[in-house]
C-alpha cells in the first residue's frame, strides 16, 4: 500500500541534510542553515510544501480555511468574475504604497461598505491578518501603555508585541475572566500612571482560538475591564479571524453578534478564512485608521493590495450581505453537531477517553452551546497525534498534526476543520477512522506490545513504504 504523496513528501523532508553536506564539503553558509533545519528534522517537525490532496479529489478536506466552502463550490468565483467584469479598465496592480499611489476610490468604497456591514466607523484593507497585527501592535500602544493578552493569542500578535512601544506585556490564563481581573487589579495597585488614567491598558484577544476552537467569553472580559478600569483607560483588540463570516446573523463576527462594537477599539477580520479570499480588514475609529497609516512601518513601506484582492473581498461580502451564506452556516452547524454526537456515542469512545488515548476538550457541555466552532482539536498523548494524522490521511481524510511551538509542549493534537460542503456521510467516515485508530491504540496498550508491534498500522505502512522508497525507517 502506498503511503500517499502527502505523507511521503512530509517524511522525505525529514531526512537530515547537514551531515551529507559536510561530507560533500558544501559551503559553510548553506551548511549552517541546514544544521538549524536539521534540529526540526530530528523532531519530525520540518514543514514542507507538498501537493494538496483534497484539491485534486484524492482526500476529503478537514484541514483548509475554506470554512464556508465559498471557494470549493465556485460561488465566490462567480461573484468575483462579475465584480472584475465591472472594472475592465482598472489597473491590476496597486502601483505603490497606500499613502503614495496605492489608493483608489474603489478600495475606499469597499472599505466603507465593510465598515457599515460590521457597524464600525472605518476599515482598512491590508495584505494579511499577520501584517494587520504587526501594524496594530507597532502603531497603537503608546509609551507607558501596558498590553494584557490571553496566553493563547495568535503568533502574529506575539510578533506584533515584539515591536510595540508598550512598557510591559502581561499574559493572563486562557479565557479566564478572574485571571484578567487579577492582572488588571494588580496593575492599578502597582502602576500609578494606569491608576490615574494617564496611560492605557491594551487587552488583546481572539474571538475563536485557532488551535483550541473555543470561543472567547468577550462579554465577561469587557465587564471585568469596565469594573477594574473605571477611568476608561483601556482598549480591546480582538482578532476575529475565525469568527469572521461565521458568527452573527450574516457572519458579522463575535463582536457584532454580542453588540459590543463600542466596547472594542480594534477588530481584525482576516478575509482568508471563511470569507475565502486573502488579506485582512482592520476596523476601528478614524483615529485608529490614521495611526496605522502613519505609524505602522510595515504598512507605510508596503505596496497596497491589488485590485483582484479588493474585488475578491467585495465579492465575498456581497454574498454575505445578500444572505447567500446562511445555508452554509446552518449546514456547518449541523455537521459539527453530528460529529460531536456520533463520536461521543461510539461504543469505544469513553474507554479511549478514560485511557487518555484521545481527548476532545470542546466536548464539555457541547450540547448546551448555541454556536459550535468549526475547529475541533483531537488531543493525544506523547507524539501519537502524528500516528493519528497518518491514519486519517491513509483513510482519505486530509488532516494536520499540530505540535510545539504552535501549541504548548506536551499538547500535540490533530486539528480538524469542518466545512459547509462536507457531508454527514463524510463526518461519519471521519469518526469511524478516528475511533479505529483509538481502538488500535487501546489494543496495543492493553496487550503491552513492544518494539515495532507497538506502532499502529498506519505508522508501519508509512515507515515501511519509506524504507523501500527513500530509506526512512521507524
Amino acid at each position: 500500500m502506498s503511503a500517499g504523496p502527502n505523507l511521503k513528501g512530509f517524511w522525505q523532508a525529514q531526512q537530515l541534510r547537514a551531515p551529507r553536506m559536510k561530507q560533500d564539503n558544501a559551503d559553510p553558509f548553506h551548511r549552517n542553515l541546514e544544521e538549524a533545519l536539521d534540529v526540526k528534522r530530528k523532531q519530525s517537525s520540518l514543514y514542507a510544501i507538498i501537493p494538496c490532496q483534497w484539491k485534486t479529489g484524492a482526500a476529503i478536506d478537514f484541514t483548509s480555511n475554506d470554512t464556508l466552502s465559498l471557494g470549493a463550490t465556485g460561488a465566490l468565483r462567480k461573484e468575483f468574475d462579475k465584480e472584475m467584469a465591472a472594472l475592465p479598465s482598472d489597473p491590476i496592480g496597486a502601483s505603490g504604497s497606500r499613502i503614495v499611489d496605492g489608493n483608489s476610490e474603489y478600495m475606499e468604497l469597499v472599505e466603507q461598505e465593510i465598515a457599515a456591514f460590521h457597524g464600525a466607523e472605518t476599515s482598512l484593507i491590508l495584505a494579511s491578518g499577520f501584517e494587520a497585527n504587526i501594524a496594530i501592535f507597532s502603531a497603537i500602544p503608546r509609551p507607558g501603555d501596558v498590553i494584557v493578552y490571553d496566553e493563547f493569542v495568535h503568533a502574529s500578535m506575539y510578533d506584533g508585541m515584539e515591536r510595540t512601544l508598550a512598557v510591559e506585556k502581561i499574559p493572563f490564563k486562557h479565557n479566564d475572566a478572574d485571571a484578567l481581573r487579577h492582572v488588571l487589579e494588580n496593575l492599578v495597585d502597582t502602576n500609578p500612571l494606569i491608576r490615574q488614567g494617564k496611560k492605557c491598558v491594551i487587552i488583546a484577544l481572539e474571538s475563536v482560538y485557532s488551535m483550541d476552537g473555543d470561543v472567547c467569553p468577550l462579554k465577561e472580559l469587557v465587564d471585568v475591564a469596565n469594573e477594574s478600569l473605571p477611568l476608561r483607560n483601556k482598549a480591546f483588540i480582538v482578532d476575529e479571524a475565525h469568527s469572521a463570516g461565521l458568527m452573527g446573523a450574516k457572519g458579522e463576527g463575535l463582536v457584532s453578534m454580542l453588540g459590543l462594537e463600542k466596547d472594542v477599539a480594534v477588530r481584525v477580520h482576516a478575509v482568508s478564512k471563511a470569507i475565502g479570499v486573502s488579506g485582512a480588514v482592520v476596523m476601528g475609529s478614524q483615529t485608529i485608521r490614521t495611526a496605522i497609516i502613519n505609524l505602522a512601518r510595515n504598512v507605510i513601506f508596503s505596496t497596497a493590495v491589488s485590485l483582484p484582492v479588493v474585488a475578491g473581498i467585495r465579492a465575498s461580502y456581497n454574498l454575505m450581505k445578500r444572505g447567500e451564506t446562511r445555508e452554509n452556516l446552518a449546514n456547518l452547524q449541523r455537521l459539527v453537531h453530528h460529529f460531536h454526537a456520533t463520536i461521543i456515542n461510539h461504543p469505544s469512545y469513553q474507554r479511549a477517553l478514560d485511557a487518555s488515548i484521545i481527548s476532545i476538550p470542546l466536548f464539555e457541555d457541547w450540547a448546551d452551546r448555541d454556536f459550535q466552532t468549526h475547529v475541533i482539536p483531537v488531543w493525544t498523548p506523547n507524539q501519537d497525534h502524528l500516528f493519528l494524522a497518518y491514519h486519517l490521511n491513509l483513510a482519505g481524510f486530509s488532516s494536520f498534526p499540530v505540535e510545539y511551538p504552535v501549541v504548548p509542549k506536551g499538547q500535540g493534537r490533530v486539528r480538524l476543520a469542518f466545512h459547509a460542503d462536507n457531508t454527514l456521510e463524510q463526518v461519519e467516515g471521519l469518526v469511524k477512522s478516528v475511533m479505529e485508530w483509538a481502538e488500535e491504540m487501546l489494543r496495543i496498550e492493553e496487550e503491552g506490545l513492544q518494539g515495532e508491534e507497538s506502532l499502529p498500522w498506519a505508522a508501519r505502512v508509512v515507515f515501511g513504504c519509506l524504507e523501500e522508497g527513500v530509506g526512512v525507517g521507524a
Side-chain angles (χ1 to χ4, degrees):
M1 178 181 291
S2 169
N6 267 9
L7 293 175
K8 275 199 171 184
F10 171 78
W11 275 106
Q12 285 172 336
Q14 308 312 312
Q15 295 181 90
L16 301 184
R17 296 198 61 185
R20 188 168 68 248
M21 294 183 76
K22 190 174 292 186
Q23 292 173 0
D24 295 341
N25 198 29
D27 65 87
F29 174 74
H30 288 93
R31 190 176 69 241
N32 291 343
L33 277 175
E34 291 293 356
E35 285 177 353
L37 294 171
D38 276 355
V39 173
K40 292 180 67 68
R41 292 184 179 109
K42 289 175 181 177
Q43 300 167 345
S44 300
S45 63
L46 186 81
Y47 297 128
I49 299 176
I50 51 183
C52 176
Q53 288 185 292
W54 67 262
K55 288 184 178 179
T56 63
I60 299 168
D61 180 15
F62 282 101
T63 52
S64 84
N65 288 327
D66 188 21
T67 314
L68 289 175
S69 302
L70 299 181
T73 61
L76 179 55
R77 180 57 186 260
K78 290 179 183 177
E79 189 69 22
F80 169 76
D81 287 344
K82 287 194 295 184
E83 192 69 23
M84 287 297 292
L87 304 164
S89 59
D90 289 47
I92 293 295
S95 303
S97 168
R98 191 72 185 272
I99 61 173
V100 185
D101 302 305
N103 195 31
S104 69
E105 291 183 5
Y106 178 69
M107 191 182 300
E108 291 195 7
L109 170 65
V110 174
E111 289 174 337
Q112 291 165 7
E113 292 175 347
I114 292 172
F117 181 78
H118 293 284
E121 183 180 341
T122 67
S123 76
L124 180 67
I125 296 174
L126 297 175
S128 70
F130 208 110
E131 181 186 26
N133 279 326
I134 296 292
I136 289 164
F137 286 96
S138 62
I140 301 305
R142 298 292 85 208
D145 288 347
V146 176
I147 298 174
V148 175
Y149 61 96
D150 187 293
E151 62 180 336
F152 286 176
V153 293
H154 192 264
S156 58
M157 285 190 168
Y158 275 95
D159 280 20
M161 286 188 280
E162 289 297 315
R163 306 185 187 194
T164 188
L165 296 177
V167 69
E168 193 173 5
K169 297 164 286 188
I170 307 172
F172 68 93
K173 185 179 178 182
H174 176 56
N175 272 357
D176 191 320
D178 289 334
L180 175 62
R181 185 188 304 277
H182 175 75
V183 170
L184 296 181
E185 289 178 350
N186 186 61
L187 271 174
V188 170
D189 289 341
T190 60
N191 188 320
L193 294 178
I194 297 295
R195 183 169 59 251
Q196 296 163 16
K198 295 180 179 179
K199 294 297 178 180
C200 297
V201 179
I202 312 297
I203 303 170
L205 313 165
E206 291 185 44
S207 53
V208 175
Y209 286 84
S210 59
M211 291 299 127
D212 293 81
D214 50 354
V215 179
C216 169
L218 184 57
K219 181 65 168 64
E220 293 178 52
L221 300 181
V222 167
D223 289 344
V224 165
N226 287 337
E227 294 166 8
S228 302
L229 300 166
L231 297 180
R232 301 188 302 164
N233 54 325
K234 64 184 181 306
F236 278 89
I237 297 173
V238 180
D239 188 327
E240 296 221 54
H242 291 278
S243 61
L246 297 173
M247 302 184 81
K250 291 185 177 180
E252 299 92 336
L254 177 65
V255 173
S256 291
M257 186 181 80
L258 297 176
L260 296 174
E261 295 94 338
K262 295 186 184 303
D263 295 279
V264 175
V266 184
R267 285 176 273 170
V268 181
H269 279 232
V271 293
S272 54
K273 307 294 191 296
I275 294 174
V277 202
S278 65
V281 182
V282 177
M283 283 169 277
S285 66
Q286 183 62 51
T287 301
I288 295 292
R289 176 184 161 97
T290 304
I292 291 174
I293 291 170
N294 283 273
L295 302 176
R297 289 170 59 85
N298 64 314
V299 174
I300 295 169
F301 296 105
S302 292
T303 298
V305 297
S306 64
L307 175 69
V309 171
V310 182
I313 293 171
R314 192 186 199 199
S316 193
Y317 270 90
N318 287 343
L319 296 175
M320 290 193 292
K321 285 190 288 186
R322 295 199 300 260
E324 294 181 25
T325 63
R326 283 179 172 169
E327 182 54 36
N328 304 57
L329 290 168
N331 195 49
L332 186 63
Q333 290 296 297
R334 283 193 291 269
L335 293 166
V336 177
H337 269 88
H338 192 59
F339 176 82
H340 286 322
T342 304
I343 198 167
I344 283 176
N345 289 316
H346 190 281
S348 297
Y349 174 73
Q350 190 60 49
R351 196 158 59 96
L353 183 66
D354 293 341
S356 299
I357 298 296
I358 59 173
S359 171
I360 306 178
L362 278 180
F363 279 1
E364 185 177 348
D365 301 325
W366 72 272
D368 298 326
R369 292 198 294 267
D370 293 330
F371 176 81
Q372 307 290 338
T373 63
H374 62 288
V375 174
I376 300 180
V378 181
W379 292 35
T380 66
N382 306 315
Q383 294 291 304
D384 290 354
H385 56 288
L386 295 174
F387 297 155
L388 174 56
Y390 301 160
H391 189 100
L392 293 176
N393 277 283
L394 287 174
F397 298 99
S398 174
S399 63
F400 190 75
V402 182
E403 55 194 334
Y404 177 82
V406 179
V407 295
K409 285 184 177 179
Q411 295 185 16
R413 65 201 70 173
V414 171
R415 180 184 183 271
L416 301 175
F418 289 72
H419 308 87
D421 70 337
N422 288 136
T423 66
L424 294 176
E425 292 75 20
Q426 289 172 350
V427 170
E428 290 166 3
L430 176 68
V431 170
K432 180 175 182 289
S433 188
V434 170
M435 292 312 303
E436 283 175 347
W437 175 84
E439 289 172 338
E440 183 182 15
M441 296 301 289
L442 279 168
R443 181 183 62 80
I444 290 170
E445 183 175 289
E446 290 167 355
E447 295 180 8
L449 300 180
Q450 301 293 321
E452 186 175 329
E453 290 187 339
S454 69
L455 287 174
W457 163 80
R460 283 184 275 118
V461 169
V462 172
F463 295 149
C465 288
L466 293 171
E467 281 180 337
E468 295 173 11
V470 296
V472 178

